[in-house]
Amino acid sequence: MTLTFRSAMLALAGVVVVAFVVPSRAGILLVTSGVVLFALVDVWLAGAVRPLRFVRETGGPGGTGAYAGSSDATSATTSVRLGEAVEVRLLVTNPGRRAVRGLLRDAWPPSAGAVTERHPLDLPGGERRRITTVLRPTRRGDRQAHRVTVRSLGPMGLAGRQGSHEVPWTVRALPPFDSRKHLPSRLARLRELDGRASVLVRGQGTEFDSLRDYVVGDDVRSVDWRATARRGAVVVRTWRPERDRHVLVVLDTGRTSAGRVGDAPRLDHSMDAALLLAALATRAGDRVDLMAFDRRVRADVRRAAPHDVLPRFTAAMAPLGSELVEADHRGLVSAIAARASQRSLVVLLTGLDAAVIEEGLLPVLAPLVRKHEVCVAAVADPAVEALARGRGDAAAVYAAAAAEQARVERRHVTVLLERLGVTVVDEPPDRIAPALADTYLALKKAGRL
C-alpha cells in the first residue's frame, strides 16, 4: 500500500474539521476512520501490480539488442558507444481486468545516464503498453538494470498498490573510438605504400610488385639491369609492403593506466589508439590480436576475422578497468611470448614512469626485442607541459621545476628504450592515436615488419 499527497491533504482537512467542528475524541476517531476507509477503498479499486508481465527490448540509433522477459535468468545485453544514446523499451502487459493507472519507474544506476526513469502509466485490463527509457551512458562498461517499480493508484488518487519486479538487462558502453576521423587519411597513405596510388618513390618491402621506368629520385639499387638491357631504358623494381604480418596490441591495465589525462583515464586514451591501429592494420592485410594485462590477462582477442576485429576489440575493452596494482612485467613478457610465436609487431600501450620502466620493464625487455619489433606507446600529460612554462610567482616556478624534472626523466626513459631497439611513441591524448598509426606505417614502409 502506498499513500499519495491527496491523502495527506484529506487528513489535513480532517484536522481542521476536528479543530473547529467536532473538537473531541469522537471527532478524531470519526475523521481518522473516514480517511483510512477512503484510502482502503482506493487501494481495493486500484489495479493489481503483481500479475503484470514485463518484456524488455532495445532500439534506437546507437544500440543493438534482443528481447528479455522478467522470468529470464540471464540478462540480455545492449551495446552502445560511449556518448551515444540508446532506447531500452519495456513492454508491460496487464493480464487482469482492472486498469492499472499510476506511475512506472525503470531504475538504472546513475552512470547509465537515464534521461528519465519515471513514466506515467495508463494500462487497461488485457492490454499492453510500451515504455521507452533513453539511456546515454557516461562511463564505459556494463550497466545493469536495477528493478521496475509500478505504483497503481485508485480512482480517487488517495492511495494505491506498489510492487517491484526484476527485469534483467545490461547496457554495455563501448569505447567511443573518437580517433576514427584519422582513419581515411592513414588509409590513403597505406594505399600509396600498397602501390594502389601513384607515387614517385619506390615502395618499401620484400615482396616484388612490378617494373616501371626510372624517374629522378629512385634508389639506384632498385634498378633491374636485365630488364633495362631488354628494353633499352632504365627500369626499376617496385616492392609491395609485406602482408599477413602479426600485430599484437597489449594494453597495460596496471596502476599507471588509472591516472587521468584530460577528461579521461590513460587507459581510455590507449584504447582509442589501439582501435585506430587495429582498423588500419586490418585494412593493410595484417592479423591483429589484443591482450590486456596487469598481473594476469584481463582480455584476450585472437584470430579474429578481418571484419570482426573491431567488434571483438570493442567488446573486450568495454568492461576493462585499471587495477591499482603494479604490472608484472615478467609475466607480461611471458604472456606475449605465448601469443606471438613468429616475428611480430608488439605494441605495448603503457606509461613512461621512470621507476616502473627501469625497475620493471627494462630488465625483461631484451629477449622480446631480439625476436620481435617492439613499440612502446605512452600518453603524455599536456598539463606537465603547461606547468613547465609557468613563471608567474614562486609557486609557479617550483611547479615548473617539478614539471621539467618529470620531462627529463621521461626523456631519459625514452633514450633507454630506444637504445634497446624499441620504437617509442610519446604523445598527448589528441595525438597518441594518429602518431601510433603513423609509426605503424613508417615501420611498414621501412620493411621492418
Side-chain angles (χ1 to χ4, degrees):
M1 177 178 176
T2 180
L3 300 176
T4 68
F5 181 72
R6 289 187 181 184
S7 61
M9 295 303 295
L10 181 61
L12 183 60
V15 171
V16 175
V17 171
V18 171
F20 295 100
V21 180
V22 282
S24 63
R25 291 184 178 179
I28 295 175
L29 181 61
L30 179 64
V31 169
T32 303
S33 300
V35 172
V36 172
L37 179 62
F38 279 118
L40 291 175
V41 169
D42 224 20
V43 170
W44 182 73
L45 294 175
V49 298
R50 294 295 179 185
L52 295 178
R53 295 197 298 266
F54 301 86
V55 174
R56 285 197 186 274
E57 56 184 8
T58 185
T64 58
Y67 293 82
S70 58
S71 60
D72 267 10
T74 59
S75 172
T77 302
T78 301
S79 296
V80 61
R81 289 204 178 274
L82 189 66
E84 295 180 358
V86 63
E87 294 178 353
V88 177
R89 304 189 186 104
L90 187 67
L91 199 62
V92 187
T93 304
N94 181 9
R97 290 179 295 178
R98 290 182 180 173
V100 175
R101 295 184 175 89
L103 193 67
L104 180 145
R105 180 175 183 257
D106 189 6
W108 291 84
S111 57
V115 176
T116 176
E117 292 184 341
R118 292 174 171 81
H119 310 271
L121 183 64
D122 186 356
L123 184 58
E127 296 188 13
R128 61 183 181 179
R129 294 286 186 271
R130 181 176 282 108
I131 305 298
T132 301
T133 301
V134 178
L135 303 178
R136 192 182 296 273
T138 58
R139 289 175 56 192
R140 179 178 45 77
D142 292 344
R143 302 294 173 261
Q144 309 285 343
H146 187 43
R147 64 168 63 95
V148 176
T149 303
V150 177
R151 179 178 296 174
S152 175
L153 301 179
M156 293 180 287
L158 297 174
R161 308 182 188 194
Q162 180 170 306
S164 297
H165 301 257
E166 295 293 337
V167 189
W169 194 267
T170 301
V171 169
R172 171 166 289 183
L174 304 174
F177 196 9
D178 294 329
S179 61
R180 185 191 298 269
K181 61 187 177 184
H182 300 290
L183 186 57
S185 61
R186 270 63 190 179
L187 288 177
R189 293 178 56 186
L190 179 64
R191 285 192 293 269
E192 292 180 357
L193 292 179
D194 251 351
R196 290 194 292 268
S198 177
V199 291
L200 295 179
V201 296
R202 178 172 72 96
Q204 300 295 315
T206 58
E207 297 182 16
F208 174 75
D209 184 30
S210 61
L211 296 172
R212 63 170 173 80
D213 292 336
Y214 174 86
V215 296
V216 177
D218 281 336
D219 190 339
V220 295
R221 291 174 296 179
S222 64
V223 174
D224 189 316
W225 296 109
R226 290 186 179 181
T228 297
R230 288 196 300 268
R231 289 192 184 183
V234 180
V235 176
V236 296
R237 299 185 187 97
T238 60
W239 307 88
R240 183 184 301 114
E242 298 87 344
R243 286 180 169 273
D244 199 28
R245 294 303 188 257
H246 183 220
V247 179
L248 177 59
V249 181
V250 182
L251 292 173
D252 180 359
T253 55
R255 66 169 184 84
T256 56
S257 66
R260 295 188 71 84
V261 180
D263 57 354
R266 276 193 174 90
L267 180 60
D268 286 36
H269 297 303
S270 297
M271 288 180 180
D272 193 50
L275 289 174
L276 180 62
L277 175 62
L280 182 60
T282 301
R283 295 288 290 272
D286 292 333
R287 295 177 293 111
V288 190
D289 293 341
L290 171 72
M291 181 178 70
F293 191 93
D294 42 73
R295 288 189 175 275
R296 63 181 179 86
V297 176
R298 302 287 177 177
D300 192 6
V301 178
R302 295 191 238 182
R303 301 180 182 90
H307 66 275
D308 206 27
V309 169
L310 284 183
R312 288 186 60 182
F313 270 43
T314 53
M317 289 175 179
L320 285 179
S322 300
E323 303 294 327
L324 300 183
V325 295
E326 202 69 65
D328 176 13
H329 290 97
R330 193 173 298 277
L332 172 64
V333 172
S334 299
I336 292 173
R339 286 159 179 78
S341 56
Q342 64 184 56
R343 181 170 177 81
S344 308
L345 171 61
V346 178
V347 180
L348 175 58
L349 289 142
T350 183
L352 286 181
D353 293 1
V356 175
I357 297 297
E358 292 180 11
E359 297 175 12
L361 185 60
L362 281 176
V364 298
L365 197 58
L368 195 65
V369 175
R370 283 196 295 269
K371 185 175 182 181
H372 303 288
E373 184 71 33
V374 179
C375 174
V376 172
V379 181
D381 192 348
V384 175
E385 301 296 326
L387 286 174
R389 295 191 296 268
R391 297 293 187 273
D393 52 23
V397 171
Y398 280 112
E404 188 59 38
Q405 179 64 30
R407 293 169 62 184
V408 169
E409 292 177 355
R410 202 173 181 91
R411 286 194 294 267
H412 175 67
V413 168
T414 299
V415 170
L416 292 179
L417 290 171
E418 290 175 343
R419 285 177 181 172
L420 279 178
V422 176
T423 303
V424 180
V425 180
D426 184 18
E427 297 288 345
D430 59 336
R431 283 290 308 156
I432 182 65
L436 182 58
D438 290 343
T439 300
Y440 166 78
L441 292 173
L443 293 173
K444 203 167 186 66
K445 182 178 180 181
R448 292 172 58 184
L449 299 189

